[in-house]
Amino acid sequence: MSATAAMEVNAEARRILAVSISKLYASRTQRGGLRLHRSLLLSLVMRSARDIYHSSRENEGPSCAQPTPEEPMDTGSNPGELTGLPEPQPEPQPALNSAELASEEPDSAEEDSDSEITEDKENLSPTRQSRKRRGKASAAPDFLPSKRARLEPGEERYAAPLGSCRAGAGESLTALSLNRVIPAF
Amino acid sequence: QGVRRTQRPPTTTFSDIISTVEFNHTGELLATGDKGGRVVIFQQEIENKNQPQFRSEYNVYSTFQSHEPEFDYLKSLEIEEKINKIRWLPQKNAAQFLLSTNDKTIKLWKISERDKRPEGYNLKEDDGRFKDPNNITSLRVPVLIPMDLMVEASPRRVFANAHTYHINSISVNSDNETYLSADDLRINLWHLEITDRSFNIVDIKPANMEELTEVITAAEFHPHQCNTFVYSSSKGTIRLCDMRVSALCDKHSKLFEEPEDPSNRSFFSEIISSISDVKFSHNGRYMMTRDYLSVKIWDLNMESRPVETYQVHEYLRSKLCSLYENDCIFDKFECCWNGNDSVVMTGSYNNFFRMFDRGQRRDVTLEASRENSKPMQVLKPRKVCAGGKRKKDEISVDSLDFNKKILHTAWHPQDNIIAVATTNNLYIFQDKVN
């Protein structure tokens, strides 16, 4: 997988994320109130785009020569194999980090690394917080609006405790907006 | 035989966007609801029905304001007056009844005709003024005299305050006593006579809303089995529930789901697999679902996959990103069966609508627009060029107008008459009588 392909995927994912977030903000002022169905679909797209964004950024990094998963895979699946859809996970986990994330392969060149990494997510979600976000925490995604999210009446802003299973500080804005999409009702 | 249609001129131009279209059980009446909360009912003029040149005309029968905008002070939210669904009750007496709903409140409307009025009161004049009692010297019985037909709509029941989320469906039960209403997370069962309570029969709200993964998108009662209903989800699944099993139908009796084709995965796979409409066939053996790109027919006895799948506009699959940006990917198309369940119909963009003949395995694309059809003209089938060389008369995908969408269509329960709603206009087409 080339660095160029990773950058293209990265750019695409960023664009979709930016579009999604602007839709999310726009939907707050729309007549009739927030639509749960639409908000859910937006959050699903944002999750997928965000995951692709991060996985393609990883592959841009020092190990861009070959995609190395940061954790050994327990499943023993082949790199190129797509094992179909993840099963819905019944255990209560923060929606962002749950194993319900769809595996996305927007570019066939990405297939190997993505399927490995997404299979990782599917099967090892509880330990996911130990991966990658540390390295990216310092670089806040630049597609996000500069001001913090305006809260709905009754919402409270909470600080993600360090070492929790939530994303790192730099990701907190993304994490907040995705988590709060649904409970905003 | 050729699939030929003649067009009636658009019977009326709405100032507001049409949001639902529904024939009644005989097809004599056609109700439309719009974004402004109004209901307009058209009546079929049945003249010369046995004549070879028979053309049915639908004329405005009644217009009334069903819902008004409201404000939820607790949540600081405006409640839209847009009519999401209309469902007719089977006719039991001279009056007609229909249910109309917006996001939060369902209303039962009685539509009745008045063609006589009383005349000759003892105590008041014909214009309503009271007579001077000293001038009354005789006693008479008032008589009913004919008058110009007046159609009155009056709200008989208001079913309110039962839905936290936005109502997407209502469905009258075959028992003609109960009906269901569904919002994003819950389905309630009502008795038509009782407005101050309803039974919750489905609740998929998770304890922690952050765990929410799917919502209810549509629900319908079985046409004959009064204990059976289905509901579809944003994940592309349909659940069939039997109310005899338990009071709360959270456990489905059947789950209809087709495994996804992994080669079609994209950022938008979840959005396009969300089901926007579910409709039982008239015979009750099949149901049809509509997702963004296709129509699927399911045999109620087979849960593993649909028995038929029809691509509505597959050429849009490569355009999903643009359709996401312009919000079209969130459009909710409806679908409908013809009277004998042999043909299904659904809408698309550019004012196109599609019909799929199940038995003859043929499909056609037609267009509802003033420019392209005149009264009594036969509609010409249209074709979209997906790629490569565009033939004459074909339309390329890039020149489709995505603002012109047909979301709502309805088919007369017996005859080959269809109602197609574009954004502002209602078109009524009928099969050409040879």
Side-chain angles (χ1 to χ4, degrees):
Chain A
M1 184 208 60
S2 69
T4 326
M7 273 172 59
E8 281 173 13
V9 169
N10 187 329
E12 178 73 2
R14 278 173 52 181
R15 201 169 62 80
I16 289 179
L17 262 169
V19 166
S20 305
I21 289 176
S22 69
K23 284 187 193 297
L24 201 55
Y25 283 125
S27 68
R28 286 168 168 234
T29 53
Q30 121 195 9
R31 221 176 147 234
L34 274 169
R35 302 260 154 196
L36 187 63
H37 185 197
R38 186 186 160 98
S39 304
L40 178 67
L41 295 177
L42 278 177
S43 72
L44 291 173
V45 171
M46 286 163 72
R47 247 196 265 156
S48 306
R50 192 204 55 172
D51 294 333
I52 299 296
Y53 170 73
H54 284 301
S55 60
S56 66
R57 277 187 81 161
E58 264 173 65
N59 293 323
E60 269 176 46
S63 59
C64 70
Q66 73 267 13
T68 36
E70 294 179 15
E71 295 178 81
M73 281 184 50
D74 286 348
T75 58
S77 308
N78 296 323
E81 182 187 280
L82 297 172
T83 52
L85 297 173
E87 298 300 326
Q89 296 283 326
E91 58 268 27
Q93 291 176 8
L96 285 181
N97 296 332
S98 82
E100 295 149 50
L101 295 169
S103 45
E104 300 294 326
E105 280 75 38
D107 186 323
S108 57
E110 295 289 310
E111 211 168 296
D112 291 330
S113 54
D114 279 351
S115 64
E116 277 185 3
I117 290 162
T118 45
E119 278 170 1
D120 253 348
K121 287 176 198 161
E122 288 172 45
N123 298 304
L124 300 167
S125 51
T127 57
R128 222 171 131 249
Q129 64 275 17
S130 59
R131 294 179 59 215
K132 71 180 184 189
R133 305 237 187 263
R134 276 172 283 133
K136 307 296 174 218
S138 52
D142 51 7
F143 49 76
L144 292 173
S146 51
K147 59 181 165 122
R148 297 183 80 183
R150 193 164 51 90
L151 296 176
E152 291 289 293
E155 273 194 272
E156 25 178 38
R157 200 182 298 281
Y158 67 95
L162 292 173
S164 78
C165 55
R166 296 213 180 277
E171 308 302 324
S172 61
L173 198 55
T174 323
L176 252 184
S177 41
L178 288 180
N179 274 334
R180 283 302 178 212
V181 165
I182 307 303
F185 286 86
Chain B
Q1 68 276 11
V3 176
R4 310 216 283 178
R5 299 284 181 269
T6 59
Q7 186 214 2
R8 298 298 310 148
T11 337
T12 188
T13 300
F14 290 84
S15 55
D16 250 325
I17 297 167
I18 300 171
S19 50
T20 185
V21 180
E22 185 83 355
F23 280 101
N24 76 336
H25 294 268
T26 61
E28 187 202 348
L29 297 175
L30 176 65
T32 61
D34 67 27
K35 209 162 157 241
R38 284 183 314 163
V39 171
V40 180
I41 302 177
F42 300 87
Q43 184 186 43
Q44 188 179 25
E45 296 303 332
I46 311 180
E47 282 172 10
N48 308 315
K49 190 158 190 184
N50 297 318
Q51 300 254 346
Q53 261 84 35
F54 169 62
R55 282 170 21 204
S56 61
E57 259 192 52
Y58 279 82
N59 299 318
V60 178
Y61 177 68
S62 171
T63 303
F64 57 94
Q65 187 76 29
S66 171
H67 287 71
E68 300 274 2
E70 286 173 58
F71 200 79
D72 180 340
Y73 294 97
L74 197 62
K75 294 183 189 168
S76 289
L77 285 179
E78 198 177 357
I79 300 172
E80 274 192 284
E81 67 276 28
K82 173 168 78 84
I83 308 294
N84 292 335
K85 284 282 164 19
I86 290 174
R87 289 289 181 262
W88 291 92
L89 268 56
Q91 191 173 13
K92 279 199 266 199
N93 51 39
Q96 301 278 357
F97 289 86
L98 61 79
L99 287 169
S100 70
T101 187
N102 69 349
D103 284 336
K104 297 288 183 184
T105 304
I106 307 131
K107 294 188 185 179
L108 176 68
W109 287 89
K110 176 180 177 183
I111 295 106
S112 46
E113 292 184 0
R114 190 199 291 265
D115 61 356
K116 295 181 183 49
R117 63 182 175 83
E119 200 177 66
Y121 284 102
N122 288 290
L123 299 178
K124 53 181 177 167
E125 306 285 357
D126 286 340
D127 61 10
R129 283 178 304 148
F130 281 97
K131 291 183 181 173
D132 180 355
N134 299 322
N135 292 341
I136 300 172
T137 54
S138 60
L139 192 66
R140 59 182 175 164
V141 178
V143 292
L144 290 173
I145 59 164
M147 62 178 247
D148 287 339
L149 179 66
M150 200 167 74
V151 181
E152 300 169 317
S154 59
R156 306 302 291 177
R157 305 271 187 278
V158 177
F159 305 92
N161 300 322
H163 286 280
T164 308
Y165 301 95
H166 296 106
I167 297 175
N168 53 56
S169 311
I170 47 174
S171 177
V172 184
N173 202 348
S174 52
D175 66 7
N176 289 337
E177 287 186 356
T178 57
Y179 75 94
L180 62 77
S181 59
D183 66 28
D184 293 311
L185 297 178
R186 299 191 176 102
I187 302 179
N188 294 332
L189 181 71
W190 302 83
H191 192 285
L192 284 163
E193 301 289 329
I194 299 168
T195 59
D196 62 354
R197 78 194 75 168
S198 65
F199 288 105
N200 176 247
I201 52 177
V202 173
D203 188 338
I204 64 167
K205 183 177 180 199
N208 181 1
M209 279 296 271
E210 292 180 13
E211 295 161 38
L212 182 75
T213 56
E214 70 181 323
V215 297
I216 297 169
T217 52
E220 193 177 60
F221 265 119
H222 190 278
H224 312 133
Q225 296 165 19
C226 58
N227 53 285
T228 304
F229 66 93
V230 293
Y231 68 92
S232 59
S233 85
S234 54
K235 269 192 173 168
T237 64
I238 310 101
R239 286 172 175 79
L240 184 140
C241 299
D242 184 337
M243 295 195 293
R244 298 171 299 188
V245 171
S246 73
L248 188 61
C249 299
D250 274 357
K251 284 210 178 75
H252 52 263
S253 300
K254 293 192 185 185
L255 173 67
F256 298 84
E257 186 174 15
E258 181 176 30
E260 194 193 341
D261 180 359
S263 63
N264 276 335
R265 285 244 90 187
S266 74
F267 282 114
F268 309 106
S269 296
E270 278 118 346
I271 301 189
I272 64 170
S273 64
S274 177
I275 292 174
S276 51
D277 194 15
V278 65
K279 292 264 169 52
F280 277 105
S281 61
H282 290 95
N283 61 21
R285 288 166 44 201
Y286 299 95
M287 65 178 175
M288 164 167 55
T289 57
R290 175 72 156 96
D291 52 68
Y292 190 64
L293 295 179
S294 68
V295 159
K296 295 179 182 173
I297 312 254
W298 304 78
D299 185 322
L300 294 185
N301 296 316
M302 187 162 79
E303 299 165 60
S304 53
R305 57 181 167 77
V307 289
E308 293 153 42
T309 301
Y310 300 104
Q311 301 302 335
V312 181
H313 35 220
E314 180 70 10
Y315 46 80
L316 296 182
R317 193 181 288 275
S318 53
K319 311 272 178 199
L320 293 180
C321 198
S322 323
L323 294 165
Y324 179 70
E325 286 174 37
N326 66 14
D327 269 357
C328 285
I329 207 174
F330 297 103
D331 286 335
K332 297 192 180 158
F333 291 95
E334 291 172 12
C335 53
C336 60
W337 299 83
N338 75 337
N340 62 12
D341 301 329
S342 60
V343 184
V344 296
M345 172 168 66
T346 189
S348 178
Y349 294 103
N350 209 70
N351 281 347
F352 287 169
F353 58 100
R354 302 264 283 138
M355 288 191 196
F356 301 94
D357 189 323
R358 301 172 62 209
Q360 304 200 1
R361 308 198 150 273
R362 281 182 319 159
D363 61 89
V364 68
T365 304
L366 299 169
E367 181 177 357
S369 77
R370 258 193 253 254
E371 295 82 35
N372 288 329
S373 30
K374 302 188 201 53
M376 296 311 291
Q377 183 184 4
V378 174
L379 288 182
K380 201 177 61 162
R382 311 304 307 251
K383 193 138 165 48
V384 176
C385 166
K389 215 154 181 294
R390 186 176 76 87
K391 301 196 192 90
K392 179 173 174 285
D393 276 356
E394 281 187 356
I395 300 180
S396 73
V397 180
D398 296 315
S399 43
L400 292 175
D401 187 343
F402 290 95
N403 290 320
K404 295 187 180 167
K405 53 192 85 170
I406 292 179
L407 303 175
H408 312 287
T409 59
W411 207 308
H412 190 287
Q414 281 122 29
D415 303 333
N416 273 346
I417 301 171
I418 57 175
V420 171
T422 59
T423 307
N424 289 112
N425 292 316
L426 181 72
Y427 289 78
I428 297 174
F429 298 99
Q430 112 180 34
D431 224 354
K432 183 166 193 234
V433 179
N434 289 318

